[in-house]
Amino acid sequence: MENNYPFISMLRKYVSSSVLLVIATVAALIIANSPWGDYYRSFWELPVSMSLGSFNLFSHNGHALSLGAFINDYLMAIFFLSVGLEIKRELLCGELSSMKKALAPIIGACGGMIIPVIVFFLVCPKDPVMERGMAIPMATDIAFSLGCLSIFSKRCPVSLKVFLAALAVADDLGGIIVIAIRYTEHLNLWYLLGAAILVVVLCIGNWRGVRTKAFYFDIGFLLWYCMLGSGIHATIAGVIVAFCIPANVPTGTKFWLERIRHKLEHFPETTVTFADRNKPVVFSDEEIAMLKSVESASDHLISPLQDMEDILKMGVNYQIIPLFAFANAGVNFEGMSLMSLFSGVGLAVFLGLLIGKFCGVFSFSWLGIKLGFIQLPQNASWKSFASVCMLCGIGFTVSMFMAALSYPGADHADYLNDAKLGILCGTIASAIVGCLMLNHFLPKEEVNK
């Protein structure tokens, strides 16, 4: 699907999505603390509208969404759609598809969610507003963590990469549940009823084998609007849509492959010389119909779930996530000292990521292995496994998202700044310590894959 994103395809040759995320984060920090900082912050407050008369589609409680809210509520719904598709694929046929496969990352993910919350609760002052951020250090950023692990790809057993990826997916599923429960405030029953009806429509579409992507995108957009008005966070709509998208190929592959071969056998073959390379190529109506038939058959060879996951992957990794980082990572250091990292929300988030995630993932996994429920990843030592557990403290994207949900509005700007500082420092510290541990404990030569 790279042809749909020509600029991104070119960018991908030189910059990985993890590096682009770092660039966006650094750029946000520099601009937010430069003479243009006020313009940077006010830019995200600009209203967004898609209006017909007095009706604005991008509005909430009668107020137009700001550009920042549009990114966090709408574009992140597309991000969670992509995450939901990945989770469903892993549950159906991946590393979470059987109890034996899923138990190790799920046990690790449970520890990686419970212990950071406990650390946050113990460290944070007993203030109801501050304690709203307890869920912030729960998340593991799959792009950053796997990006760090890829540095040691030749020395790292595949089993450790699979464990980290599956744990991050299970972690995302836990984060989605927390968002749905913790950040739901006042419910609007009419919007909730509309959302329920749309979910039923999506389920019927799945049951009846509707494969048209436009059906799921269009109904999903309406579902997003109803969720936005219902009081349940709108990004949950993306996950619901993902779980309703079919993952099967009802007729198998043989029929469609034979159809493609038959059409290609009758398609005329031509060669173009160097001198004729710029001459236009015109097909007959019959030949165009044959190509359309091949294209249609190709679409039927891929399940809608994998097709949509492939379509979204590039846009999410190279557009939505970097834009989210650029909009949300701009911590304003004015009037802030490093003491913000040694007290309150900043310290609670920092320790939750650096210590809580490591202790949670490692201790729960260790207990599961000692009790015989799970096994240590193949070809991995306890020290290399502990190194990967340390990388789980890299919690950027979803942590930033939860911070914005925990401390909304200008009244909580200081807490949000402290939380962002804690996320940045906790993520950087976890990445550095994890990489140093991996470099020290992994075998020095390339492992047998």
Side-chain angles (χ1 to χ4, degrees):
M1 291 297 172
E2 292 193 7
N3 290 335
N4 294 332
Y5 302 95
F7 173 75
I8 297 177
S9 300
M10 182 181 67
L11 182 66
R12 190 182 183 187
K13 293 180 181 179
Y14 305 101
V15 183
S16 70
S17 57
S18 300
V19 171
L20 189 61
L21 193 56
V22 172
I23 293 171
T25 302
V26 172
L29 288 169
I30 292 173
I31 295 173
N33 294 279
S34 72
W36 300 285
D38 290 336
Y39 295 106
Y40 167 85
R41 285 178 283 276
S42 61
F43 177 73
W44 305 115
E45 296 301 321
L46 293 174
V48 175
S49 66
M50 182 182 288
S51 302
L52 182 63
S54 60
F55 173 74
N56 180 14
L57 187 61
F58 295 125
S59 64
H60 182 51
N61 293 331
H63 301 286
L65 294 177
S66 66
L67 182 56
F70 174 79
I71 293 170
N72 292 350
D73 289 344
Y74 179 69
L75 293 186
M76 287 302 284
I78 300 175
F79 165 77
F80 278 103
L81 170 60
S82 178
V83 170
L85 291 169
E86 183 178 10
I87 291 172
K88 183 175 180 178
R89 175 172 50 78
E90 292 294 334
L91 288 171
L92 291 175
C93 56
E95 294 304 318
L96 303 178
S97 60
S98 67
M99 186 57 67
K100 183 178 180 181
K101 287 183 176 181
L103 206 54
I106 286 177
I107 288 175
C110 287
M113 289 185 282
I114 293 171
I115 303 301
V117 170
I118 294 174
V119 170
F120 187 102
F121 180 77
L122 294 175
V123 173
C124 186
K126 300 303 175 279
D127 180 289
V129 178
M130 288 187 179
E131 289 177 348
R132 282 177 56 89
M134 281 193 292
I136 295 172
M138 286 176 53
T140 296
D141 191 290
I142 188 168
F144 265 163
S145 57
L146 289 177
C148 288
L149 193 58
S150 68
I151 298 172
F152 307 93
S153 58
K154 293 183 178 180
R155 297 165 54 192
C156 181
V158 173
S159 59
L160 284 178
K161 300 174 189 176
V162 170
F163 173 81
L164 181 59
L167 182 140
V169 171
D171 204 60
D172 283 340
L173 182 59
I176 289 164
I177 294 171
V178 169
I179 291 169
I181 297 173
R182 180 168 177 77
Y183 299 107
T184 296
E185 298 178 353
H186 305 294
L187 294 177
N188 185 308
L189 295 181
W190 288 110
Y191 278 107
L192 201 59
L193 177 62
I197 293 171
L198 291 170
V199 172
V200 171
V201 172
L202 286 169
C203 291
I204 292 173
N206 180 295
W207 174 59
R208 296 292 296 175
V210 176
R211 298 176 58 85
T212 307
K213 293 183 286 292
F215 170 81
Y216 296 100
F217 276 124
D218 293 344
I219 301 297
F221 182 78
L222 295 175
L223 177 61
W224 171 84
Y225 179 77
C226 288
M227 296 288 273
L228 182 68
S230 71
I232 299 174
H233 201 271
T235 52
I236 301 301
V239 182
I240 295 173
V241 173
F243 275 78
C244 291
I245 294 173
N248 61 336
V249 181
T251 55
T253 61
K254 183 178 179 181
F255 171 80
W256 301 108
L257 286 172
E258 288 180 349
R259 179 173 168 179
I260 291 171
R261 291 191 187 105
H262 174 73
K263 295 294 181 181
L264 292 178
E265 283 175 1
H266 295 84
F267 195 82
E269 295 183 1
T270 60
T271 57
V272 177
T273 64
F274 181 79
D276 296 334
R277 69 188 187 283
N278 292 323
K279 287 186 177 180
V281 177
V282 179
F283 293 120
S284 67
D285 291 343
E286 182 182 354
E287 290 167 346
I288 291 174
M290 291 171 65
L291 290 175
K292 293 287 186 182
S293 179
V294 170
E295 183 181 20
S296 175
S298 299
D299 285 340
H300 283 85
L301 286 171
I302 307 173
S303 70
L305 182 143
Q306 279 198 289
D307 191 17
M308 195 172 291
E309 185 180 3
D310 186 53
I311 289 171
L312 292 174
K313 185 182 298 182
M314 295 282 284
V316 167
N317 290 342
Y318 283 85
Q319 290 177 305
I320 292 177
I321 295 179
L323 180 60
F324 171 83
F326 185 65
N328 288 274
V331 180
N332 184 11
F333 296 126
E334 185 179 355
M336 181 188 294
S337 67
L338 279 177
M339 291 306 296
S340 301
L341 196 59
F342 296 103
S343 63
V345 172
L347 180 63
V349 171
F350 175 74
L351 294 180
L353 288 172
L354 181 62
I355 296 176
K357 288 294 290 187
F358 169 76
C359 291
V361 174
F362 185 80
S363 63
F364 273 53
S365 299
W366 178 86
L367 186 61
I369 291 169
K370 292 301 180 183
L371 293 176
F373 296 143
I374 56 177
Q375 293 181 333
L376 191 68
Q378 190 176 8
N379 298 326
S381 65
W382 275 108
K383 291 178 179 179
S384 62
F385 179 71
S387 305
V388 169
C389 292
M390 177 57 70
L391 291 182
C392 293
I394 300 174
F396 186 80
T397 307
V398 179
S399 290
M400 284 285 186
F401 183 69
M402 286 186 172
L405 295 179
S406 301
Y407 307 116
D411 295 340
H412 304 134
D414 290 341
Y415 292 145
L416 180 58
N417 247 9
D418 290 348
K420 288 179 178 180
L421 182 63
I423 293 167
L424 289 170
C425 293
T427 293
I428 292 169
S430 296
I432 292 173
V433 175
C435 287
L436 289 174
M437 291 174 66
L438 285 167
N439 187 55
H440 185 69
F441 294 127
L442 285 176
K444 300 303 178 185
E445 67 280 354
E446 184 175 345
V447 298
N448 184 6
K449 299 297 181 182

